[in-house]
Amino acid sequence: MLKYTKIACNITDKIFSSLIKNWNFKTEKDVAKYIRTQIKKYNATQAFRTIVASNKRSRYIHGFPTNNRLKGFTIIDFGVSYKKYKSDMTRTIYVGKPSKKEINEYNNILRIQKKLIYLIKPGNYYADLDIKARLLLKKDKIYFAHGLGHGVGKKIHQPPWLKPYSKDKIKLNDIITIEPAIYKKDHGIRIEDTVFVKNKPVILTKSTKKLIII
């Protein structure tokens, strides 16, 4: 139900805001523990195991938290389950001082993510959206190692599927994720939102996507 998905997304945004505001973390596990604690305060549960992957570990798609110290690009991917309905959001922040090249690389992924959300049109195919993501990534498409997104509801991964060979059509009232990414040898960047499909798509996870530098 959209009502509960919106609440789950709102809780996710509040937790992310609190996380950044109270940032005093040293390791990936510190961040994940804070997120878990906050989720409980909202009488919700984790939609899936929280991902926190920093520095070279950010190149892993499912970089579950370790005692790795926070440095450089840090992927934070988490979601909330509220009355069984899920949210899913990823933000990539930077711990330290990024180079101009790193800032440009991040902003390119953000530009692509915004473009893809704009291109969500009922009646078209999700496969075409995934293919468009790879075209926009240009030479970096070889570092995009998963589908563009997936449906979200009572399950964190469910139809429709945003993959190159998906047969699923874009339909009004779908709830999906849009998550372009790159995973290079020494770092990764992923930006993901939960999106409600209307004639003009509605982004349900509203946390800032401007590169946060800590």
Side-chain angles (χ1 to χ4, degrees):
M1 186 181 293
L2 178 63
K3 174 184 174 182
Y4 295 142
T5 302
K6 282 183 172 180
I7 293 172
C9 289
N10 182 251
I11 292 170
T12 302
D13 287 330
K14 287 180 178 179
I15 292 171
F16 183 74
S17 177
S18 176
L19 178 76
I20 300 304
K21 185 178 180 180
N22 294 288
W23 191 272
N24 188 27
F25 310 107
K26 302 299 182 186
T27 71
E28 296 168 347
K29 282 189 173 181
D30 291 341
V31 175
K33 182 179 178 180
Y34 183 86
I35 290 170
R36 288 196 304 272
T37 301
Q38 292 298 307
I39 289 173
K40 288 179 182 177
K41 287 183 178 180
Y42 286 96
N43 294 317
T45 58
Q46 291 188 101
F48 53 92
R49 186 179 173 191
T50 295
I51 291 169
V52 184
S54 190
N55 202 10
K56 290 186 177 181
R57 292 191 70 258
S58 61
R59 71 184 186 271
Y60 299 129
I61 297 170
H62 297 112
F64 296 119
T66 68
N67 285 318
N68 191 48
R69 291 187 70 82
L70 300 165
K71 181 182 177 182
F73 281 121
T74 300
I75 290 176
I76 302 170
D77 182 354
F78 72 103
V80 166
S81 181
Y82 182 82
K83 295 191 183 294
K84 298 183 179 180
Y85 286 85
K86 313 292 191 284
S87 64
D88 195 356
M89 183 180 82
T90 305
R91 293 294 182 264
T92 300
I93 68 172
Y94 199 98
V95 179
K97 187 176 181 181
S99 66
K100 186 175 180 180
K101 180 181 178 182
E102 288 172 320
I103 292 171
N104 289 340
E105 196 169 35
Y106 177 88
N107 286 335
N108 185 52
I109 298 300
L110 177 55
R111 178 186 63 82
I112 289 170
Q113 200 242 13
K114 288 179 176 179
K115 176 74 172 177
L116 292 167
I117 292 173
Y118 174 77
L119 291 174
I120 297 170
K121 304 294 181 187
N124 292 344
Y125 284 91
Y126 283 117
D128 292 336
L129 206 58
D130 181 285
I131 292 165
K132 181 66 175 179
R134 295 168 204 281
L135 290 172
L136 291 170
L137 283 165
K138 298 180 180 178
K139 60 182 174 56
D140 279 347
K141 68 183 178 182
I142 62 172
Y143 303 113
F144 184 31
H146 54 70
L148 178 62
H150 53 84
V152 181
K154 286 188 174 181
K155 294 182 178 179
I156 194 61
H157 294 109
Q158 64 181 46
W161 304 109
L162 285 70
K163 297 179 179 180
Y165 302 105
S166 173
K167 304 292 186 185
D168 296 327
K169 269 191 170 183
I170 302 174
K171 297 178 182 176
L172 285 171
N173 303 321
D174 281 349
I175 299 176
I176 59 168
T177 66
I178 297 290
E179 48 186 299
I182 53 171
Y183 307 96
K184 294 189 174 182
K185 185 178 179 180
D186 59 355
H187 69 281
I189 301 169
R190 179 165 74 245
I191 304 172
E192 174 191 22
D193 284 304
T194 300
V195 179
F196 181 49
V197 177
K198 302 299 287 182
N199 287 319
K200 182 179 180 181
V202 179
I203 300 172
L204 300 179
T205 42
K206 303 182 185 299
S207 296
T208 183
K209 289 183 279 193
K210 181 179 178 182
L211 180 59
I212 294 171
I213 301 169
I214 296 175

